């Protein structure tokens, strides 16, 4: 029996005249490109954490074969992570309206009866569920992690990482199956531009005869054209883009209305650039950072060295212009850091020729980012510093006084603040 038009299982329940192969195809092709870029930049972000280097860095220790592609993250160009992660977050947010519109355009297909006509049909529908569920899951976890500013329940990384693989596998299979038809649809509709009424009717008819189940058999009269609807979606994306991208662009920060580190710059002066967590939040007490109390402990194969800040300042000091680029997508322009080269500190404890990896530990007692490991190529780079000052003045407490790490091209999370100990080699 045919379900009635009041049941979503009836094709006649879906009345919007906008649904059809053209709209679905346009949105699908945009997502094909966009989600592929999201997937690649996401995998790059994971690689940038150096998860293969040390269990300390690895937020998804049970990744198994999914880590097959990991490689040593380079230090050049120095804005590399700023770019890849800026693209990942900004593009992800920009694509939200496209994703929602795409889901809306195919929603009748989620309600077909019988649920499965054949094994192949059952598999196709299952993959559709994975795509819809996986897509929503990835976008929601991503946005929450950015918006909740590090208070996302600790499991963000494994959720987003495993979710990405499940989602992308289903997405890739879907794309292989559907892209030829989508491109065919687009080509056909371009060849018969829906200008005159007669022509557009013809194209509507030809759409309706397509057995896609997308076009309403019994549509309501249109209130907006398909191009108009697409314009609305594009406008929404543009608005999100325009209110997000500023979080990574100096001078435009105030336009990043929804970004937790957007809006106003955090004060002026040498330390007047983004702060992810303050010293107070991290539980750093002024008593532990004073000249009498604080000693940097440096360990290596030749033994252990303790240095006061004054002693560090008497070592050869070097400068590097480097940004902070956070996994949340925000970044600063290049700041002018000054301090002791990590490779010079390695040499102090017996690693002269080629410096090894290093484990960096903070004064901070709790929290996932209190320590991080850096790769040998990062230690060796002459721009990698234990920074003591920024933009010509002592580090402020919130930017990591008495000393912090700054490494070119690395994610912000590796730029440990309030450093207490460096251990070279033997991670
Ligand atoms: N000890 C410690 N260092 C830390 C963090 C932290 O939470 N604790 N956060 C890291 C992260 S995620 C970022 S993005 C940068 C931000 O540096 P900023 O606050 O100076 O901009 O610091 C990094 N260093
Ligand atoms: Mo960060």
């Amino acid at each position: 029996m045919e379900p009635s038009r009041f049941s979503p299982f009836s094709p006649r329940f879906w009345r919007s005249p906008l649904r059809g192969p053209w709209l679905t195809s346009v949105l699908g092709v945009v997502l094909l490109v966009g989600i592929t870029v999201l997937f690649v930049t996401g995998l790059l972000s994971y690689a940038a954490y150096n998860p293969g280097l040390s269990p300390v860095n690895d937020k998804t220790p049970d990744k198994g074969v999914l880590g097959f592609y990991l490689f040593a993250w380079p230090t050049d160009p120095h804005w590399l992570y700023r770019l890849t992660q800026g693209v990942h977050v900004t593009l992800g947010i920009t694509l939200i309206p496209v994703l929602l519109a795409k889901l809306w355009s195919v929603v009748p297909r989620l309600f077909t009866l019988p649920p499965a006509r054949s094994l192949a049909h059952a598999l196709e529908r299952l993959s559709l569920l994975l795509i819809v569920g996986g897509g929503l899951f990835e976008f929601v976890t991503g946005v929450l992690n950015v918006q909740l500013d590090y208070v996302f329940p600790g499991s963000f990384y494994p959720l987003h990482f495993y979710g990405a693989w499940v989602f992308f596998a289903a997405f890739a299979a879907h794309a292989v199956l559907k892209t030829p038809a989508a491109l065919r649809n687009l080509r056909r509709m371009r060849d018969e531009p829906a200008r005159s009424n007669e022509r557009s009717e013809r194209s509507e008819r030809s759409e309706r005869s397509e057995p896609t189940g997308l076009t309403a058999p019994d549509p309501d009269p249109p209130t907006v054209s398909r191009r108009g609807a697409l314009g609305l979606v594009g406008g929404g994306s543009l608005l999100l883009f325009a209110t997000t991208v500023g979080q990574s662009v100096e001078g435009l920060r105030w336009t990043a209305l929804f970004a937790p580190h957007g809006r106003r710059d955090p004060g002026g002066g040498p330390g007047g650039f983004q702060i992810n967590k303050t010293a107070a939040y991290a539980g750093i007490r002024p008593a532990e950072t004073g000249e009498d109390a604080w000693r940097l402990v440096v360990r290596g194969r030749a033994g252990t060295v303790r240095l006061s800040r004054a002693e560090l300042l008497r070592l050869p000091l070097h400068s590097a212009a480097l940004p902070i680029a956070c996994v949340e997508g925000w970044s600063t322009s290049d700041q002018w850091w000054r301090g002791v080269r990590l490779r010079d500190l390695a040499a102090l404890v017996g690693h002269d020729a080629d410096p090894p990896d290093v484990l960096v530990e903070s004064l901070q007692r709790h929290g996932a980012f209190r320590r991080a490991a850096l790769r040998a190529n990062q230690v060796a780079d002459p721009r990698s510093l234990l920074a003591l000052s920024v933009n010509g003045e002592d580090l402020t407490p919130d930017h990591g006084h008495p000393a912090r790490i700054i490494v070119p091209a690395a994610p912000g999370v590796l730029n440990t603040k309030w450093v207490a100990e460096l251990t070279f080699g033997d991670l």
Side-chain angles (χ1 to χ4, degrees):
M1 192 191 75
E2 273 282 295
S4 91
R5 67 174 305 164
F6 300 107
S7 152
F9 290 98
S10 159
R12 295 168 64 226
F13 175 86
W14 304 97
R15 311 284 304 264
S16 172
L18 295 175
R19 285 200 185 87
W22 182 76
L23 188 66
T24 297
S25 300
V26 175
L27 297 170
V29 168
V30 172
L31 286 178
L32 173 64
V33 177
I35 286 178
T36 304
V37 174
L38 286 183
F39 186 62
V40 171
T41 49
L43 293 187
L44 289 179
S45 179
Y46 185 52
Y49 272 57
N50 289 339
L53 175 61
S54 156
V56 165
N57 290 19
D58 199 351
K59 308 290 183 209
T60 56
D62 300 318
K63 61 189 176 296
V65 293
L66 296 183
F68 73 92
Y69 72 94
L70 293 174
F71 58 96
W73 189 250
T75 53
D76 272 302
H78 71 272
W79 39 259
L80 182 61
Y81 192 74
R82 198 178 173 204
L83 178 73
T84 62
Q85 196 60 8
V87 167
H88 185 74
V89 172
T90 306
L91 181 62
I93 290 173
T94 301
L95 284 178
I96 290 172
V98 184
L99 178 82
L100 295 179
K102 174 73 164 56
L103 294 179
W104 174 86
S105 83
V106 297
V107 78
R109 304 205 53 198
L110 297 179
F111 287 93
T112 54
L113 278 180
R117 288 189 301 268
S118 63
L119 185 64
H121 186 229
L123 284 178
E124 199 210 313
R125 297 207 65 196
L126 189 73
S127 84
L128 219 59
L129 235 100
L130 285 179
I131 295 169
V132 173
L136 288 173
F137 180 83
E138 286 303 287
F139 278 78
V140 167
T141 50
V143 168
L144 283 183
N145 189 52
V146 169
Q147 288 300 335
L148 298 186
D149 200 13
Y150 298 101
V151 292
F152 192 93
S155 46
F156 167 74
Y157 296 97
L159 288 178
H160 202 65
F161 180 72
Y162 299 132
W165 279 102
V166 173
F167 168 56
F168 197 77
F171 177 80
H174 181 77
V176 167
L177 291 174
K178 301 288 183 185
T179 306
L183 294 178
R184 226 179 311 123
N185 283 331
L186 294 180
R187 229 172 289 127
R188 185 162 45 96
M189 313 258 162
R190 192 196 50 208
D191 294 344
E192 47 179 307
R195 280 283 163 262
S196 75
N197 269 347
E198 185 212 339
R199 278 189 158 178
S200 83
E201 257 169 42
R202 180 148 35 94
S203 96
E204 301 258 311
R205 264 202 308 279
S206 72
E207 279 203 20
R208 224 168 296 162
S209 60
E210 287 267 302
T212 57
L214 294 173
T215 313
D218 188 8
D220 283 334
T223 51
V224 54
S225 72
R226 284 189 181 148
R227 271 164 213 280
L230 200 65
L232 229 58
V233 174
S237 281
L238 215 63
L239 195 68
L240 283 177
F241 177 80
T243 51
T244 303
V245 70
Q247 68 173 336
S248 311
V249 184
E250 220 52 64
L252 290 183
R253 199 93 49 197
W254 60 273
T255 62
L257 299 180
F258 306 120
H261 291 274
R263 299 177 297 261
R264 271 179 304 137
D265 272 321
F273 56 95
Q274 268 53 32
I275 293 162
N276 78 325
K277 276 189 195 159
T278 61
Y281 182 98
I284 307 296
R285 291 188 293 264
E288 346 169 60
T289 59
E291 191 56 47
D292 297 335
W294 185 80
R295 293 291 176 273
L296 175 74
V297 178
V298 188
R299 288 194 204 87
R301 67 172 159 224
T304 302
V305 172
R306 286 190 164 69
L307 297 160
S308 69
R309 202 165 187 280
E311 288 168 323
L312 280 168
L313 284 165
R314 285 197 292 273
L315 294 175
L317 298 180
H318 298 272
S319 300
L322 298 171
I324 299 272
C326 182
V327 65
E328 295 177 333
W330 60 268
S331 58
T332 70
S333 56
D334 292 354
Q335 309 295 323
W336 192 252
W337 306 92
R338 196 161 169 79
V340 183
R341 282 180 175 157
L342 293 183
R343 68 182 194 195
D344 290 352
L345 291 168
L348 274 186
V349 288
H351 303 272
D352 305 86
D354 15 42
D357 309 330
V358 66
L359 175 68
V360 181
E361 293 172 272
S362 172
L363 285 173
Q364 190 184 340
R365 275 157 295 263
H366 307 286
F369 304 148
R370 58 169 297 276
R371 45 190 200 150
L374 300 172
R375 233 177 242 286
N377 67 316
Q378 293 171 317
V379 175
D381 194 295
R383 296 162 297 176
S384 297
L385 302 177
L386 180 74
L388 302 167
S389 70
V390 64
N391 300 326
E393 284 187 19
D394 267 2
L395 288 174
T396 60
D398 290 340
H399 282 305
H401 182 90
R404 78 171 299 165
I405 298 290
I406 187 82
V407 172
V413 64
L414 298 183
N415 295 326
T416 309
K417 303 197 273 192
W418 315 292
V419 171
E421 299 185 20
L422 301 174
T423 308
F424 289 96
D426 289 334
L427 291 189

